[in-house]
Amino acid sequence: MSKNYRSELVGAFGCPIDENPTGVMEEAAFAAAGLDYRYLTIKVDKEEIETAMKAVRALHMRGINLTIPHKVSAIPFVDELSPEAQIIGAINIVVNNNGVLWGDNTDGKGFLKSLTDRDISVKGKTITVLGAGGASRAICVVCALQGASRLHIINGSVERGSELVALLTEKTPAKADLIPWESTSAVPDDTDILINATSVGLYPNVDQKPDIDYDTIKSGTVVCDVIFNDPNSLFLREAAQRGAVTVNGLGMLVNQGALNFKLWTGQEAPVDVMTETLQREFGL
């Protein structure tokens, strides 16, 4: 029997990306599943995304993750999009099916799983989201499609925030409105779930937090951060001091990673291995 010395290649394109721990988690999962896959963490500058996407085909990579700043700009260079990705307008995973590149977005699905794992439902809830970028779009669309009744979008760019509100209003059953982020913003009084979907607080800027009035967070409010490095973000610590129920970004990272694993390999991901790997990585 002949031997196969070629590993299946997957990875991530981003800039910055040096501090992204996804590869550690995915490679631990591949090893646990006995799969000969390698996960490459690759720095790709904003203007080089077209060339990088061509390389996915040229190198016969099984797929690629996309992070800042490529989640929207990579879309013209894939052949097909999932229905969710078409609505969201951003992708974080590409699967190479024999030269046909298919894009999906697992950010929102991974985030939602991190809530359901804590027995937290978005159905009928009012959700306030900080930011209107790629992660925010994914989370907002999935929450709206899963029954959230209203979404307040707090964002500095009125144009970008208005685009997200229009998308939610036109494509989902949820109500949505924009709150311009012009100075320290109060959390709307009807908020059931508050989500930081910005990159504020991401390593190395762990001493930073979103500019909101933390005293307007009510006790019992579910407060979530997409930041995974540091998972114990200053944003979550401030919210916890006000009696909030906090959900860090590790669950979202693991869950979207597990979805990516299955899309690339066709196998269920060893979620426990992925979680334990990240916990060790962050000293938790």
Side-chain angles (χ1 to χ4, degrees), residues 54-281:
K54 288 179 179 178
V56 173
R57 286 194 184 90
L59 299 176
H60 297 275
M61 298 181 73
R62 181 67 184 116
I64 199 75
N65 281 142
L66 297 161
T67 186
I68 296 171
H70 305 309
K71 290 184 179 183
V72 175
S73 61
I75 287 179
F77 311 116
V78 302
D79 303 301
E80 300 173 352
L81 292 175
S82 71
E84 293 88 353
Q86 290 179 35
I87 296 175
I88 294 165
I91 56 178
N92 75 327
I93 182 175
V94 173
V95 180
N96 183 1
N97 293 313
N98 298 315
V100 177
L101 301 187
W102 177 83
D104 194 12
N105 196 307
T106 57
D107 280 338
K109 298 170 189 174
F111 172 80
L112 194 67
K113 183 70 163 54
S114 71
L115 293 187
T116 57
D117 285 347
R118 298 274 300 271
D119 294 322
I120 299 168
S121 172
V122 300
K123 190 171 183 179
K125 302 292 179 61
T126 296
I127 301 176
T128 297
V129 182
L130 308 179
S136 174
R137 290 170 72 95
I139 289 169
C140 288
V141 167
V142 169
C143 287
L145 293 176
Q146 291 299 314
S149 61
R150 177 177 290 276
L151 292 111
H152 300 300
I153 311 300
I154 301 179
N155 197 61
S157 166
V158 171
E159 180 180 2
R160 195 171 193 181
S162 297
E163 288 176 1
L164 177 52
V165 167
L167 178 135
L168 292 168
T169 302
E170 294 169 9
K171 303 290 187 179
T172 79
K175 297 178 180 178
D177 58 85
L178 173 65
I179 301 172
W181 204 344
E182 297 170 342
S183 58
T184 302
S185 183
V187 177
D189 191 62
D190 61 347
T191 300
D192 298 305
I193 301 173
L194 171 66
I195 304 165
N196 173 33
T198 77
S199 60
V200 177
L202 184 65
Y203 184 90
N205 302 311
V206 295
D207 58 342
Q208 297 180 3
K209 59 185 178 181
D211 186 15
I212 64 171
D213 182 353
Y214 288 86
D215 288 332
T216 59
I217 297 175
K218 294 180 178 179
S219 178
T221 301
V222 175
V223 177
C224 314
D225 204 339
V226 302
I227 297 298
F228 53 81
N229 188 8
D230 181 354
N232 188 26
S233 65
L234 185 55
F235 171 73
L236 292 182
R237 281 180 274 151
E238 291 280 3
Q241 289 177 11
R242 275 78 175 177
V245 176
T246 61
V247 180
N248 68 34
L250 276 182
M252 176 178 169
L253 181 62
V254 169
N255 291 323
Q256 60 91 13
L259 291 166
N260 296 341
F261 181 100
K262 185 172 183 179
L263 287 170
W264 287 325
T265 70
Q267 297 186 22
E268 293 294 335
V271 174
D272 290 347
V273 170
M274 299 170 83
T275 302
E276 291 166 6
T277 299
L278 284 183
Q279 287 174 339
R280 283 197 304 270
E281 195 69 17

Side-chain angles (χ1 to χ4, degrees), residues 15-55:
C15 186
I17 201 167
D18 291 4
E19 303 296 336
N20 191 311
T22 304
V24 175
M25 172 183 68
E26 294 286 7
E27 290 223 328
F30 295 143
L35 296 172
D36 187 11
Y37 274 63
R38 293 297 309 278
Y39 191 101
L40 307 178
T41 302
I42 303 171
K43 181 179 179 181
V44 175
D45 292 331
K46 185 175 183 179
E47 62 274 13
E48 297 295 339
I49 187 59
E50 181 177 4
T51 302
M53 294 300 292
K54 288 179 179 178

